[in-house]
mmCIF file of all heavy atoms in Angstrom:
data_model
loop_
_atom_site.group_PDB
_atom_site.id
_atom_site.type_symbol
_atom_site.label_atom_id
_atom_site.label_comp_id
_atom_site.label_asym_id
_atom_site.label_seq_id
_atom_site.Cartn_x
_atom_site.Cartn_y
_atom_site.Cartn_z
ATOM 1 N N VAL A 1094 5.113 -6.660 0.486
ATOM 2 C CA VAL A 1094 4.375 -5.922 -0.532
ATOM 3 C C VAL A 1094 3.960 -6.897 -1.622
ATOM 4 O O VAL A 1094 4.800 -7.572 -2.219
ATOM 5 C CB VAL A 1094 5.228 -4.778 -1.118
ATOM 6 C CG1 VAL A 1094 4.464 -4.034 -2.197
ATOM 7 C CG2 VAL A 1094 5.684 -3.841 -0.012
ATOM 8 N N ARG A 1095 2.668 -7.001 -1.839
ATOM 9 C CA ARG A 1095 2.125 -7.945 -2.837
ATOM 10 C C ARG A 1095 2.087 -7.242 -4.183
ATOM 11 O O ARG A 1095 1.290 -6.338 -4.399
ATOM 12 C CB ARG A 1095 0.735 -8.391 -2.408
ATOM 13 C CG ARG A 1095 0.657 -8.960 -0.994
ATOM 14 C CD ARG A 1095 0.992 -10.429 -0.912
ATOM 15 N NE ARG A 1095 0.147 -11.241 -1.747
ATOM 16 C CZ ARG A 1095 -1.072 -11.677 -1.414
ATOM 17 N NH1 ARG A 1095 -1.582 -11.394 -0.234
ATOM 18 N NH2 ARG A 1095 -1.759 -12.418 -2.247
ATOM 19 N N THR A 1096 2.967 -7.657 -5.076
ATOM 20 C CA THR A 1096 3.072 -7.020 -6.387
ATOM 21 C C THR A 1096 2.460 -7.891 -7.465
ATOM 22 O O THR A 1096 2.354 -9.105 -7.331
ATOM 23 C CB THR A 1096 4.546 -6.747 -6.746
ATOM 24 O OG1 THR A 1096 5.250 -7.978 -6.764
ATOM 25 C CG2 THR A 1096 5.188 -5.801 -5.752
ATOM 26 N N ASP A 1097 2.098 -7.250 -8.557
ATOM 27 C CA ASP A 1097 1.577 -7.934 -9.739
ATOM 28 C C ASP A 1097 2.748 -8.625 -10.438
ATOM 29 O O ASP A 1097 3.807 -8.032 -10.595
ATOM 30 C CB ASP A 1097 0.941 -6.883 -10.658
ATOM 31 C CG ASP A 1097 0.252 -7.482 -11.853
ATOM 32 O OD1 ASP A 1097 0.788 -8.445 -12.420
ATOM 33 O OD2 ASP A 1097 -0.824 -6.982 -12.215
ATOM 34 N N PRO A 1098 2.586 -9.856 -10.865
ATOM 35 C CA PRO A 1098 3.695 -10.546 -11.542
ATOM 36 C C PRO A 1098 4.166 -9.844 -12.819
ATOM 37 O O PRO A 1098 5.301 -10.026 -13.236
ATOM 38 C CB PRO A 1098 3.118 -11.925 -11.892
ATOM 39 C CG PRO A 1098 1.862 -12.060 -11.127
ATOM 40 C CD PRO A 1098 1.410 -10.698 -10.721
ATOM 41 N N ASP A 1099 3.316 -9.028 -13.424
ATOM 42 C CA ASP A 1099 3.670 -8.353 -14.669
ATOM 43 C C ASP A 1099 4.208 -6.938 -14.462
ATOM 44 O O ASP A 1099 4.418 -6.223 -15.416
ATOM 45 C CB ASP A 1099 2.446 -8.284 -15.594
ATOM 46 C CG ASP A 1099 1.965 -9.667 -15.977
ATOM 47 O OD1 ASP A 1099 2.816 -10.567 -16.111
ATOM 48 O OD2 ASP A 1099 0.744 -9.848 -16.111
ATOM 49 N N GLY A 1100 4.405 -6.522 -13.232
ATOM 50 C CA GLY A 1100 4.895 -5.172 -12.973
ATOM 51 C C GLY A 1100 4.884 -4.882 -11.496
ATOM 52 O O GLY A 1100 4.717 -5.771 -10.670
ATOM 53 N N PHE A 1101 5.053 -3.619 -11.155
ATOM 54 C CA PHE A 1101 5.102 -3.243 -9.749
ATOM 55 C C PHE A 1101 3.876 -2.431 -9.359
ATOM 56 O O PHE A 1101 3.970 -1.343 -8.826
ATOM 57 C CB PHE A 1101 6.389 -2.462 -9.436
ATOM 58 C CG PHE A 1101 6.685 -2.418 -7.976
ATOM 59 C CD1 PHE A 1101 7.249 -3.513 -7.354
ATOM 60 C CD2 PHE A 1101 6.381 -1.306 -7.223
ATOM 61 C CE1 PHE A 1101 7.511 -3.492 -5.994
ATOM 62 C CE2 PHE A 1101 6.643 -1.276 -5.858
ATOM 63 C CZ PHE A 1101 7.214 -2.371 -5.245
ATOM 64 N N ASP A 1102 2.702 -2.963 -9.639
ATOM 65 C CA ASP A 1102 1.452 -2.322 -9.259
ATOM 66 C C ASP A 1102 1.037 -2.883 -7.909
ATOM 67 O O ASP A 1102 0.211 -3.786 -7.820
ATOM 68 C CB ASP A 1102 0.362 -2.576 -10.298
ATOM 69 C CG ASP A 1102 0.688 -1.924 -11.628
ATOM 70 O OD1 ASP A 1102 1.372 -0.895 -11.614
ATOM 71 O OD2 ASP A 1102 0.268 -2.455 -12.659
ATOM 72 N N ALA A 1103 1.643 -2.377 -6.844
ATOM 73 C CA ALA A 1103 1.375 -2.875 -5.501
ATOM 74 C C ALA A 1103 0.199 -2.128 -4.898
ATOM 75 O O ALA A 1103 0.220 -0.915 -4.774
ATOM 76 C CB ALA A 1103 2.606 -2.705 -4.631
ATOM 77 N N MET A 1104 -0.827 -2.865 -4.532
ATOM 78 C CA MET A 1104 -1.995 -2.261 -3.907
ATOM 79 C C MET A 1104 -2.320 -2.905 -2.568
ATOM 80 O O MET A 1104 -3.118 -2.381 -1.807
ATOM 81 C CB MET A 1104 -3.213 -2.369 -4.828
ATOM 82 C CG MET A 1104 -3.083 -1.557 -6.092
ATOM 83 S SD MET A 1104 -2.848 0.208 -5.793
ATOM 84 C CE MET A 1104 -4.394 0.657 -5.064
ATOM 85 N N ILE A 1105 -1.722 -4.063 -2.278
ATOM 86 C CA ILE A 1105 -2.010 -4.752 -1.028
ATOM 87 C C ILE A 1105 -0.710 -5.286 -0.431
ATOM 88 O O ILE A 1105 0.319 -5.344 -1.095
ATOM 89 C CB ILE A 1105 -3.013 -5.913 -1.224
ATOM 90 C CG1 ILE A 1105 -2.490 -6.922 -2.247
ATOM 91 C CG2 ILE A 1105 -4.381 -5.393 -1.610
ATOM 92 C CD1 ILE A 1105 -3.375 -8.153 -2.408
ATOM 93 N N ALA A 1106 -0.795 -5.660 0.842
ATOM 94 C CA ALA A 1106 0.375 -6.189 1.536
ATOM 95 C C ALA A 1106 -0.062 -7.264 2.525
ATOM 96 O O ALA A 1106 -1.198 -7.278 2.988
ATOM 97 C CB ALA A 1106 1.083 -5.064 2.292
ATOM 98 N N SER A 1107 0.853 -8.153 2.827
ATOM 99 C CA SER A 1107 0.669 -9.116 3.912
ATOM 100 C C SER A 1107 1.398 -8.558 5.114
ATOM 101 O O SER A 1107 2.535 -8.090 4.994
ATOM 102 C CB SER A 1107 1.272 -10.471 3.536
ATOM 103 O OG SER A 1107 0.641 -10.999 2.418
ATOM 104 N N VAL A 1108 0.767 -8.590 6.286
ATOM 105 C CA VAL A 1108 1.401 -8.037 7.478
ATOM 106 C C VAL A 1108 1.353 -9.041 8.631
ATOM 107 O O VAL A 1108 0.402 -9.808 8.760
ATOM 108 C CB VAL A 1108 0.759 -6.697 7.891
ATOM 109 C CG1 VAL A 1108 1.066 -5.613 6.876
ATOM 110 C CG2 VAL A 1108 -0.736 -6.811 8.049
ATOM 111 N N ALA A 1109 2.413 -9.030 9.426
ATOM 112 C CA ALA A 1109 2.528 -9.947 10.562
ATOM 113 C C ALA A 1109 3.385 -9.287 11.640
ATOM 114 O O ALA A 1109 4.064 -8.290 11.382
ATOM 115 C CB ALA A 1109 3.161 -11.261 10.125
ATOM 116 N N ALA A 1110 3.363 -9.854 12.840
ATOM 117 C CA ALA A 1110 4.182 -9.352 13.941
ATOM 118 C C ALA A 1110 4.725 -10.520 14.743
ATOM 119 O O ALA A 1110 4.146 -11.612 14.753
ATOM 120 C CB ALA A 1110 3.370 -8.437 14.857
ATOM 121 N N CYS A 1111 5.839 -10.261 15.423
ATOM 122 C CA CYS A 1111 6.483 -11.295 16.218
ATOM 123 C C CYS A 1111 7.411 -10.598 17.211
ATOM 124 O O CYS A 1111 7.945 -9.527 16.907
ATOM 125 C CB CYS A 1111 7.287 -12.199 15.296
ATOM 126 S SG CYS A 1111 8.008 -13.616 16.098
ATOM 127 N N PRO A 1112 7.631 -11.181 18.387
ATOM 128 C CA PRO A 1112 8.688 -10.633 19.237
ATOM 129 C C PRO A 1112 10.006 -10.640 18.451
ATOM 130 O O PRO A 1112 10.307 -11.605 17.744
ATOM 131 C CB PRO A 1112 8.737 -11.592 20.421
ATOM 132 C CG PRO A 1112 7.345 -12.159 20.490
ATOM 133 C CD PRO A 1112 6.926 -12.282 19.039
ATOM 134 N N THR A 1113 10.767 -9.570 18.535
ATOM 135 C CA THR A 1113 11.989 -9.418 17.758
ATOM 136 C C THR A 1113 12.910 -10.617 17.926
ATOM 137 O O THR A 1113 13.171 -11.059 19.030
ATOM 138 C CB THR A 1113 12.715 -8.117 18.161
ATOM 139 O OG1 THR A 1113 11.819 -7.025 17.917
ATOM 140 C CG2 THR A 1113 13.989 -7.905 17.366
ATOM 141 N N GLY A 1114 13.358 -11.148 16.778
ATOM 142 C CA GLY A 1114 14.283 -12.267 16.771
ATOM 143 C C GLY A 1114 13.644 -13.635 16.935
ATOM 144 O O GLY A 1114 14.335 -14.637 17.036
ATOM 145 N N ARG A 1115 12.309 -13.702 16.955
ATOM 146 C CA ARG A 1115 11.641 -14.986 17.206
ATOM 147 C C ARG A 1115 10.797 -15.472 16.033
ATOM 148 O O ARG A 1115 9.907 -16.286 16.209
ATOM 149 C CB ARG A 1115 10.782 -14.869 18.465
ATOM 150 C CG ARG A 1115 11.672 -14.555 19.662
ATOM 151 C CD ARG A 1115 11.123 -14.872 21.000
ATOM 152 N NE ARG A 1115 10.346 -16.073 21.085
ATOM 153 C CZ ARG A 1115 9.293 -16.202 21.892
ATOM 154 N NH1 ARG A 1115 8.917 -15.193 22.649
ATOM 155 N NH2 ARG A 1115 8.638 -17.335 21.949
ATOM 156 N N TRP A 1116 11.109 -15.037 14.816
ATOM 157 C CA TRP A 1116 10.401 -15.536 13.641
ATOM 158 C C TRP A 1116 10.639 -17.034 13.540
ATOM 159 O O TRP A 1116 11.722 -17.533 13.816
ATOM 160 C CB TRP A 1116 10.887 -14.839 12.376
ATOM 161 C CG TRP A 1116 10.560 -13.382 12.361
ATOM 162 C CD1 TRP A 1116 11.433 -12.361 12.592
ATOM 163 C CD2 TRP A 1116 9.296 -12.773 12.141
ATOM 164 N NE1 TRP A 1116 10.780 -11.166 12.523
ATOM 165 C CE2 TRP A 1116 9.466 -11.382 12.245
ATOM 166 C CE3 TRP A 1116 8.026 -13.269 11.863
ATOM 167 C CZ2 TRP A 1116 8.415 -10.479 12.081
ATOM 168 C CZ3 TRP A 1116 6.983 -12.367 11.693
ATOM 169 C CH2 TRP A 1116 7.183 -10.991 11.797
ATOM 170 N N GLY A 1117 9.624 -17.770 13.151
ATOM 171 C CA GLY A 1117 9.752 -19.207 12.966
ATOM 172 C C GLY A 1117 9.683 -20.018 14.247
ATOM 173 O O GLY A 1117 9.956 -21.213 14.238
ATOM 174 N N THR A 1118 9.293 -19.382 15.363
ATOM 175 C CA THR A 1118 9.215 -20.104 16.634
ATOM 176 C C THR A 1118 7.777 -20.362 17.063
ATOM 177 O O THR A 1118 7.543 -20.834 18.167
ATOM 178 C CB THR A 1118 9.916 -19.312 17.757
ATOM 179 O OG1 THR A 1118 9.208 -18.082 17.966
ATOM 180 C CG2 THR A 1118 11.371 -19.028 17.419
ATOM 181 N N GLY A 1119 6.818 -20.030 16.227
ATOM 182 C CA GLY A 1119 5.413 -20.189 16.587
ATOM 183 C C GLY A 1119 4.823 -18.963 17.264
ATOM 184 O O GLY A 1119 3.658 -18.968 17.642
ATOM 185 N N ALA A 1120 5.613 -17.905 17.415
ATOM 186 C CA ALA A 1120 5.134 -16.688 18.088
ATOM 187 C C ALA A 1120 4.604 -15.644 17.106
ATOM 188 O O ALA A 1120 4.176 -14.582 17.520
ATOM 189 C CB ALA A 1120 6.264 -16.081 18.919
ATOM 190 N N THR A 1121 4.599 -15.953 15.826
ATOM 191 C CA THR A 1121 4.176 -14.992 14.804
ATOM 192 C C THR A 1121 2.670 -14.808 14.808
ATOM 193 O O THR A 1121 1.918 -15.768 14.891
ATOM 194 C CB THR A 1121 4.623 -15.463 13.409
ATOM 195 O OG1 THR A 1121 6.035 -15.645 13.423
ATOM 196 C CG2 THR A 1121 4.246 -14.470 12.331
ATOM 197 N N GLU A 1122 2.238 -13.558 14.725
ATOM 198 C CA GLU A 1122 0.823 -13.218 14.596
ATOM 199 C C GLU A 1122 0.583 -12.720 13.174
ATOM 200 O O GLU A 1122 1.213 -11.769 12.749
ATOM 201 C CB GLU A 1122 0.445 -12.097 15.555
ATOM 202 C CG GLU A 1122 0.627 -12.425 17.007
ATOM 203 C CD GLU A 1122 0.365 -11.202 17.867
ATOM 204 O OE1 GLU A 1122 -0.457 -10.345 17.484
ATOM 205 O OE2 GLU A 1122 1.006 -11.118 18.915
ATOM 206 N N ILE A 1123 -0.308 -13.370 12.453
ATOM 207 C CA ILE A 1123 -0.648 -12.933 11.098
ATOM 208 C C ILE A 1123 -1.820 -11.966 11.213
ATOM 209 O O ILE A 1123 -2.829 -12.275 11.815
ATOM 210 C CB ILE A 1123 -1.053 -14.127 10.215
ATOM 211 C CG1 ILE A 1123 0.048 -15.191 10.199
ATOM 212 C CG2 ILE A 1123 -1.415 -13.665 8.805
ATOM 213 C CD1 ILE A 1123 1.358 -14.734 9.629
ATOM 214 N N CYS A 1124 -1.681 -10.787 10.611
ATOM 215 C CA CYS A 1124 -2.766 -9.803 10.655
ATOM 216 C C CYS A 1124 -3.639 -9.950 9.414
ATOM 217 O O CYS A 1124 -4.756 -10.388 9.484
ATOM 218 C CB CYS A 1124 -2.202 -8.395 10.729
ATOM 219 S SG CYS A 1124 -3.465 -7.116 10.565
ATOM 220 N N GLU A 1125 -3.102 -9.579 8.307
ATOM 221 C CA GLU A 1125 -3.846 -9.582 7.055
ATOM 222 C C GLU A 1125 -2.972 -10.170 5.960
ATOM 223 O O GLU A 1125 -1.762 -9.980 5.962
ATOM 224 C CB GLU A 1125 -4.216 -8.154 6.638
ATOM 225 C CG GLU A 1125 -5.207 -7.456 7.530
ATOM 226 C CD GLU A 1125 -6.632 -7.867 7.260
ATOM 227 O OE1 GLU A 1125 -6.913 -8.391 6.170
ATOM 228 O OE2 GLU A 1125 -7.452 -7.666 8.147
ATOM 229 N N THR A 1126 -3.573 -10.861 5.025
ATOM 230 C CA THR A 1126 -2.826 -11.309 3.853
ATOM 231 C C THR A 1126 -3.130 -10.429 2.652
ATOM 232 O O THR A 1126 -2.436 -10.516 1.650
ATOM 233 C CB THR A 1126 -3.137 -12.774 3.511
ATOM 234 O OG1 THR A 1126 -4.539 -12.911 3.309
ATOM 235 C CG2 THR A 1126 -2.675 -13.699 4.620
ATOM 236 N N GLU A 1127 -4.137 -9.577 2.777
ATOM 237 C CA GLU A 1127 -4.479 -8.645 1.707
ATOM 238 C C GLU A 1127 -4.865 -7.294 2.296
ATOM 239 O O GLU A 1127 -5.968 -6.800 2.094
ATOM 240 C CB GLU A 1127 -5.596 -9.209 0.835
ATOM 241 C CG GLU A 1127 -5.175 -10.452 0.084
ATOM 242 C CD GLU A 1127 -6.223 -10.952 -0.894
ATOM 243 O OE1 GLU A 1127 -7.330 -10.379 -0.933
ATOM 244 O OE2 GLU A 1127 -5.930 -11.909 -1.618
ATOM 245 N N ALA A 1128 -3.938 -6.687 3.028
ATOM 246 C CA ALA A 1128 -4.194 -5.390 3.654
ATOM 247 C C ALA A 1128 -3.986 -4.270 2.643
ATOM 248 O O ALA A 1128 -3.042 -4.300 1.856
ATOM 249 C CB ALA A 1128 -3.263 -5.185 4.839
ATOM 250 N N PHE A 1129 -4.868 -3.295 2.665
ATOM 251 C CA PHE A 1129 -4.687 -2.096 1.862
ATOM 252 C C PHE A 1129 -3.664 -1.201 2.563
ATOM 253 O O PHE A 1129 -3.356 -1.406 3.746
ATOM 254 C CB PHE A 1129 -6.023 -1.367 1.688
ATOM 255 C CG PHE A 1129 -6.966 -2.125 0.800
ATOM 256 C CD1 PHE A 1129 -8.065 -2.783 1.338
ATOM 257 C CD2 PHE A 1129 -6.746 -2.195 -0.563
ATOM 258 C CE1 PHE A 1129 -8.924 -3.500 0.520
ATOM 259 C CE2 PHE A 1129 -7.605 -2.905 -1.392
ATOM 260 C CZ PHE A 1129 -8.703 -3.561 -0.848
ATOM 261 N N PRO A 1130 -3.091 -0.213 1.876
ATOM 262 C CA PRO A 1130 -2.029 0.609 2.475
ATOM 263 C C PRO A 1130 -2.391 1.213 3.832
ATOM 264 O O PRO A 1130 -1.582 1.163 4.755
ATOM 265 C CB PRO A 1130 -1.790 1.694 1.419
ATOM 266 C CG PRO A 1130 -2.137 1.029 0.129
ATOM 267 C CD PRO A 1130 -3.310 0.132 0.471
ATOM 268 N N ASP A 1131 -3.599 1.760 3.980
ATOM 269 C CA ASP A 1131 -3.960 2.364 5.266
ATOM 270 C C ASP A 1131 -4.064 1.313 6.368
ATOM 271 O O ASP A 1131 -3.693 1.560 7.518
ATOM 272 C CB ASP A 1131 -5.249 3.189 5.160
ATOM 273 C CG ASP A 1131 -6.437 2.404 4.638
ATOM 274 O OD1 ASP A 1131 -6.241 1.389 3.938
ATOM 275 O OD2 ASP A 1131 -7.576 2.819 4.916
ATOM 276 N N GLU A 1132 -4.518 0.116 6.040
ATOM 277 C CA GLU A 1132 -4.587 -0.963 7.030
ATOM 278 C C GLU A 1132 -3.182 -1.402 7.453
ATOM 279 O O GLU A 1132 -2.938 -1.667 8.632
ATOM 280 C CB GLU A 1132 -5.341 -2.163 6.460
ATOM 281 C CG GLU A 1132 -6.799 -1.888 6.181
ATOM 282 C CD GLU A 1132 -7.463 -3.009 5.404
ATOM 283 O OE1 GLU A 1132 -6.839 -3.553 4.465
ATOM 284 O OE2 GLU A 1132 -8.617 -3.334 5.746
ATOM 285 N N ALA A 1133 -2.263 -1.475 6.494
ATOM 286 C CA ALA A 1133 -0.887 -1.869 6.809
ATOM 287 C C ALA A 1133 -0.229 -0.837 7.729
ATOM 288 O O ALA A 1133 0.445 -1.210 8.696
ATOM 289 C CB ALA A 1133 -0.081 -2.041 5.524
ATOM 290 N N ILE A 1134 -0.437 0.437 7.464
ATOM 291 C CA ILE A 1134 0.138 1.493 8.315
ATOM 292 C C ILE A 1134 -0.493 1.461 9.702
ATOM 293 O O ILE A 1134 0.197 1.594 10.714
ATOM 294 C CB ILE A 1134 -0.034 2.884 7.662
ATOM 295 C CG1 ILE A 1134 0.762 2.945 6.359
ATOM 296 C CG2 ILE A 1134 0.377 3.991 8.615
ATOM 297 C CD1 ILE A 1134 2.246 2.691 6.489
ATOM 298 N N ASP A 1135 -1.797 1.249 9.783
ATOM 299 C CA ASP A 1135 -2.462 1.132 11.088
ATOM 300 C C ASP A 1135 -1.886 -0.040 11.878
ATOM 301 O O ASP A 1135 -1.710 0.037 13.087
ATOM 302 C CB ASP A 1135 -3.970 0.963 10.919
ATOM 303 C CG ASP A 1135 -4.665 2.230 10.469
ATOM 304 O OD1 ASP A 1135 -4.052 3.320 10.524
ATOM 305 O OD2 ASP A 1135 -5.833 2.127 10.043
ATOM 306 N N TRP A 1136 -1.605 -1.158 11.207
ATOM 307 C CA TRP A 1136 -1.021 -2.336 11.852
ATOM 308 C C TRP A 1136 0.361 -1.986 12.415
ATOM 309 O O TRP A 1136 0.681 -2.328 13.548
ATOM 310 C CB TRP A 1136 -0.944 -3.474 10.848
ATOM 311 C CG TRP A 1136 -0.260 -4.710 11.345
ATOM 312 C CD1 TRP A 1136 0.951 -5.158 10.960
ATOM 313 C CD2 TRP A 1136 -0.745 -5.645 12.303
ATOM 314 N NE1 TRP A 1136 1.258 -6.316 11.621
ATOM 315 C CE2 TRP A 1136 0.237 -6.639 12.446
ATOM 316 C CE3 TRP A 1136 -1.915 -5.733 13.057
ATOM 317 C CZ2 TRP A 1136 0.088 -7.714 13.309
ATOM 318 C CZ3 TRP A 1136 -2.063 -6.817 13.919
ATOM 319 C CH2 TRP A 1136 -1.076 -7.784 14.038
ATOM 320 N N LEU A 1137 1.186 -1.281 11.617
ATOM 321 C CA LEU A 1137 2.510 -0.877 12.103
ATOM 322 C C LEU A 1137 2.394 -0.025 13.358
ATOM 323 O O LEU A 1137 3.120 -0.235 14.337
ATOM 324 C CB LEU A 1137 3.256 -0.073 11.032
ATOM 325 C CG LEU A 1137 3.882 -0.836 9.895
ATOM 326 C CD1 LEU A 1137 4.502 0.136 8.898
ATOM 327 C CD2 LEU A 1137 4.926 -1.803 10.404
ATOM 328 N N LEU A 1138 1.500 0.928 13.351
ATOM 329 C CA LEU A 1138 1.314 1.800 14.508
ATOM 330 C C LEU A 1138 0.858 0.999 15.725
ATOM 331 O O LEU A 1138 1.343 1.210 16.838
ATOM 332 C CB LEU A 1138 0.302 2.907 14.190
ATOM 333 C CG LEU A 1138 0.022 3.885 15.313
ATOM 334 C CD1 LEU A 1138 1.298 4.589 15.759
ATOM 335 C CD2 LEU A 1138 -1.042 4.886 14.905
ATOM 336 N N ALA A 1139 -0.050 0.057 15.534
ATOM 337 C CA ALA A 1139 -0.539 -0.761 16.649
ATOM 338 C C ALA A 1139 0.592 -1.595 17.255
ATOM 339 O O ALA A 1139 0.684 -1.717 18.482
ATOM 340 C CB ALA A 1139 -1.675 -1.666 16.179
ATOM 341 N N ILE A 1140 1.468 -2.149 16.434
ATOM 342 C CA ILE A 1140 2.591 -2.940 16.938
ATOM 343 C C ILE A 1140 3.580 -2.031 17.662
ATOM 344 O O ILE A 1140 4.076 -2.356 18.746
ATOM 345 C CB ILE A 1140 3.285 -3.709 15.797
ATOM 346 C CG1 ILE A 1140 2.309 -4.683 15.147
ATOM 347 C CG2 ILE A 1140 4.536 -4.431 16.301
ATOM 348 C CD1 ILE A 1140 1.666 -5.669 16.095
#
């Protein structure tokens, strides 16, 4: 969740996917670095 440094006004998120337990092995897929809430939820559903 990408928050504002001056508060918790979160409007965007960074999202990624990886086979479970394999973070940091080169298997990570980056989706968005500035996804809006509906895009982040769609990404979760797709994974």
Side-chain angles (χ1 to χ4, degrees):
V1094 179
R1095 306 275 302 277
T1096 60
D1097 185 320
D1099 298 326
F1101 197 79
D1102 295 330
M1104 294 301 294
I1105 58 175
S1107 298
V1108 292
C1111 186
T1113 301
R1115 298 201 38 214
W1116 294 104
T1118 64
T1121 303
E1122 298 174 31
I1123 304 298
C1124 172
E1125 293 280 340
T1126 57
E1127 295 186 355
F1129 290 107
D1131 56 336
E1132 294 170 319
I1134 296 301
D1135 288 346
W1136 175 251
L1137 282 177
L1138 180 59
I1140 298 304

